[in-house]
């Protein structure tokens, strides 16, 4: 087939619509009483345009889509999904003694309505199918022994399935009386009324154009119309699929075989364009982004978009596709819905619901306070943020005061300088609500206010939500089915997940962006088909239905097999008249696709020998990682000079050794860490509490020898002091429950364990422990060669004591410290990160000896108490490389040698030619 294709010349594309209209024009001269019936709304526009091009004078035929045709016959108006759901709940409540809440009902009712719809479209005998379903459930419960253990869940499920027939009959009758219905009901009713409709419209001639898979009701209606006289049907099918046993021709082959109409008539417009020469490329691309970026590259090379279609097999890719289209596309027509869950306004509305849901959960409704994260999420949404310049200062203030909950007064303060209307709208959002009606009102007022100053696209979003909430308000007024906000929020979430925003564009110009089903009847020279993966095209066989597969087969309802055949038809029909086809699939095995190209693509490759296969991957540009580097200038040196006067702390120096850039940010340009509300006690807060508690416990004993009884007194006070210091450090935080309670208990345990260890030490009467200082601020000035001003070093030593004649400089650490981190064998290696804790202790020792003019007559040690490693006791700085023979005494010589090394680091900080450079091996 493809061998013959090579010899044919490539001609200008003749579309199916063009072919069909030419065919009709041969036998039909007047179109006054002619009706064209098409599968989709979009096809109508193209048919109308083609008609205008073909005839110069005369009436245009009436052009309608199949839904409008069915609605005309039945005389019943189609109801939308929300309206149907409310009516269905009314029926359900009337039939049940203990009905479930509306949100629980909505979680399964959508599926039930879908099943009713399918049953009616296929004119299934409802009594038979529901009795069949009921009997299956009864068989499941039957057992030889006569015993069957049912759980409550199973009972509910069986009971529910047995009641489906009752629900169906009551719902159908109710809707029929109101003269509204879902699509299936309209189809079933139109089959009842078709004979009278045809009698009234005997002069009319109907043309069915471009159909493929019909449901049973459509088959009955079409056959009745065709058999009534001069009407015709034009299928869009190629010989390659019709004559061979190909899945794409499955339905039309069956109609040809079974319809009485075809006993005397032939199939119209049977094409043979599939075998014509084409350029077909099958492209494998890793991940969705690569697929879409590559499609953008193809589009960049196209100059005329009038005959180009970008088709998304996976319609969820629309948002990222819209963000990735090349600049040369001057017009675009989108024929698919943009998922409402991806619209920015959705997040704004969810944030309003969340304010009150959290409020209820945290039991703050009575005082009308809101959880700070919910308030910030709402205020910092792009729609609100741009209206109130004070929001940043407001959020900083919340963090500063550690304010976990926000009240009405805080909101009033924030809006002091705002526009009166905005103030009114936002204050109402944060007010207690009396009813769901009133809550819906405040959302409508907010949407109404926001629409005044937004772009066209955002106006579309807001309008869609305005109509949805207006409808919800009307239905709530009538039915009162939302007893509380939680039910409304859950329903809103369900609704949003299934709804989409339809775009309106100019269908006859620019690039056509569409899903697979929208391509019906339309032909394009250039086709770019994205996401042609197995599991997407065709979709996986998972069905969202209460009717099992075997029951569907038994009653002639469509299963995944029919759906596969429908997708096969759409895929291959797209190829029929196209000249350039680019089929792109995802090669990656991930949750969204199998990484395997669609079976239809494999079939296409087998049917034609001219398919080019290739894979594409994004170019990975190896970037040389450039380390951050900040050069010193006179301004930096001035700041460093100020620092020399103010003083460098041991932690600032170790920060410089770890990362000079971090030191520059903190000490030179004084960048502060972002302040956030501390809900869970931060680790530095825990450290502060433990330090402050020990300081207050030990201060009364400074200059005294400590006794075991003194420790007992301390232990009695310790818990109250931990509470006191938590309140000071953790301002408005709650330490009574949750993780905070656990951290409070940790702090308490740290203090108690430390005091217990001290008591064990003092139980031995030989041990003499004298407290000399706690939390003492020390400082000293040092002269450094090459720097013409003194450098002040200062720090606060946690504790200085004397144990059995040995002076100890002690640093408390709430984190984990091991003895290995305090081993200093070579002073030349102090720059290494493992030595930084030892540096801090040694600097405290140096500051103490300088401040106190220490004479080194008594031995001096420096070290750490690690609260996470208290079993190891006091960890001293150790100068020995031999584990068995520690050398812990800090001598004058060792301090001198240590300070010589420290001075080289400080000299480096103050040298103009030495830049601040980020270390290459920096972990974070």
């Amino acid at each position: 087939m493809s061998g013959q294709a090579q010899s044919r010349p490539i001609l200008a594309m003749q579309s199916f619509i063009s072919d069909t209209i030419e065919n009709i024009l041969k036998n039909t001269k007047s179109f006054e009483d002619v009706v064209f019936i098409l599968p989709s709304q979009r096809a109508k526009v193209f048919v109308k345009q083609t008609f205008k091009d073909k005839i110069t004078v005369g009436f245009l035929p009436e052009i309608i889509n199949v839904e409008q045709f069915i609605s005309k016959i039945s005389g019943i108006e189609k109801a939308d999904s929300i309206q149907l759901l409310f009516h269905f709940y009314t029926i359900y409540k009337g039939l049940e003694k203990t009905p479930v809440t509306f949100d629980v009902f909505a979680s399964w009712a959508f599926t039930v309505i879908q099943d009713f719809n399918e049953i009616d479209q296929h004119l299934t005998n409802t009594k038979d199918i529901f009795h069949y379903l009921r009997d299956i459930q009864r068989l499941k419960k039957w057992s030889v022994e006569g015993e069957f253990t049912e759980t409550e869940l199973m009972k509910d499920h069986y009971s529910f399935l047995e009641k489906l027939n009752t629900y169906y009959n009551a719902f159908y009758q109710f809707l029929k009386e109101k003269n509204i219905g879902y699509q299936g009901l309209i189809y079933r009713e139109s089959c009842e009324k078709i004979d009278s409709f045809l009698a009234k419209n005997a002069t009319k001639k109907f043309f069915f154009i471009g159909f493929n898979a019909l449901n049973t009701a459509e088959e009955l209606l079409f056959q009745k119309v065709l058999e009534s006289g001069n009407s015709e049907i034009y299928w869009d099918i190629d010989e390659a699929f019709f004559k061979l046993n190909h899945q794409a021709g499955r339905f039309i082959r069956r109609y040809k075989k079974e319809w009485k109409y075809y006993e005397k008539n032939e199939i119209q417009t049977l094409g043979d364009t599939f075998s014509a020469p084409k350029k077909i490329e099958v492209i494998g691309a890793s991940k969705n982004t690569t697929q879409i970026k590559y499609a953008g590259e193809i589009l960049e090379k196209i100059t005329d978009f009038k005959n180009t279609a970008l088709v998304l097999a996976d319609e969820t890719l629309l948002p990222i596709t819209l963000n990735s289209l090349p600049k040369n596309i001057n017009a675009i027509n989108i024929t698919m819905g943009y998922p409402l869950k991806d619209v920015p306004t959705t997040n704004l509305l969810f944030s309003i619901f969340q304010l009150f849901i959290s409020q209820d959960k945290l039991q703050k409704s009575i005082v009308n306070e809101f959880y700070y994260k919910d308030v910030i999420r709402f205020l910092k949404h792009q729609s609100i943020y741009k209206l109130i310049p004070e929001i940043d200062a407001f959020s900083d203030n919340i963090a500063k005061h550690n304010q976990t909950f926000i009240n009405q007064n805080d909101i009033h303060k924030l809006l002091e300088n705002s526009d009166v209307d905005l103030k009114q709208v936002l204050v109402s959002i944060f007010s207690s609500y009396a009813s769901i009606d009133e809550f819906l009102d405040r959302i409508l007022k907010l949407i109404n206010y926001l629409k005044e100053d937004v772009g066209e696209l955002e106006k579309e979003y807001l309008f869609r939500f305005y109509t949805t909430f207006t409808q919800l308000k009307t239905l709530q007024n009538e039915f009162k089915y939302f007893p509380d906000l939680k039910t409304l929020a859950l329903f809103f979430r369900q609704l949003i997940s299934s709804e989409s925003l339809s775009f309106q564009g100019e269908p006859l110009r620019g690039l056509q962006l569409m899903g697979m089903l929208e391509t019906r009847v339309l032909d394009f020279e250039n086709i770019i088909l994205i996401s042609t993966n197995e599991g997407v095209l065709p979709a996986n066989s998972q069905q969202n239905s209460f009717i099992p597969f075997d029951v569907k087969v038994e009653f002639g309802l469509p299963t995944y097999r029919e759906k596969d055949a429908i997708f096969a038809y759409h895929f291959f029909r797209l190829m029929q008249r196209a000249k350039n086809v680019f089929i792109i699939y995802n090669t990656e095995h991930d949750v969204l696709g199998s990484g395997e190209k669609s079976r239809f693509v494999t079939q296409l490759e087998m049917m034609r020998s001219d398919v080019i296969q290739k894979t594409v991957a994004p170019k990975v540009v190896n970037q040389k990682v450039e380390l951050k580097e900040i050069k010193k200038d006179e301004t930096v040196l001035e700041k460093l000079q100020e620092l020399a006067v103010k003083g460098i702390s041991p932690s600032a120096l170790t920060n410089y050794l770890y990362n000079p850039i971090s030191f520059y940010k903190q000490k030179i340009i004084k960048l502060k860490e972002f302040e956030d509300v501390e809900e869970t006690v931060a680790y530095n807060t825990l450290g502060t509490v433990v330090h402050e508690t020990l300081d207050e416990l030990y201060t009364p004993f400074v200059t005294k020898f400590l006794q075991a009884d003194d420790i007992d007194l301390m232990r009695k006070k310790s818990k109250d002091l931990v509470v006191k210091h938590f309140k000071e450090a953790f301002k408005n935080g709650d330490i009574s429950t949750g993780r905070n309670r656990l951290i409070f208990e940790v702090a308490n345990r740290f203090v108690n364990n430390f005091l217990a260890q001290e008591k064990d030490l003092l139980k031995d009467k030989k041990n003499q422990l004298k407290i000399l200082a706690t939390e003492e601020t020390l400082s000293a000035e040092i002269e450094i060669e090459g720097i013409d001003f003194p450098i002040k070093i200062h720090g606060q030593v946690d504790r200085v004591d004397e144990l059995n004649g040995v002076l100890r400089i002690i640093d408390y650490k709430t984190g984990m410290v091991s003895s290995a981190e305090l081993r200093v064998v070579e002073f030349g290696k102090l720059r290494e990160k493992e030595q930084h804790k030892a540096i801090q202790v040694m600097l405290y020792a140096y500051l103490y000896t300088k401040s106190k003019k220490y004479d080194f007559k008594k031995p001096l040690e420096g070290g750490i108490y690690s609260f996470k490693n208290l079993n190891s006791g006091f960890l001293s700085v150790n100068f020995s490389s031999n584990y068995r023979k520690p050398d812990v005494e800090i001598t004058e010589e060792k301090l001198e040698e240590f300070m010589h090394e420290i001075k080289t680091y400080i000299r480096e900080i103050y040298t103009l030619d030495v830049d601040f450079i980020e270390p290459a091996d920096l972990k974070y």
Side-chain angles (χ1 to χ4, degrees), residues 309-313 512-516 519 527-531 574:
L310 178 61
V311 183
L312 303 180
Q512 303 292 319
L513 177 52
M514 50 178 73
M516 279 301 282
T519 61
I527 300 280
I528 302 163
L529 189 51
I530 295 177
S531 206
L574 259 182

Side-chain angles (χ1 to χ4, degrees), residues 6 145 192 348 385 401 477 737 780:
Q6 301 308 314
E145 287 83 14
E192 298 288 323
L348 176 70
Y385 187 67
H401 291 94
N477 275 333
T737 58

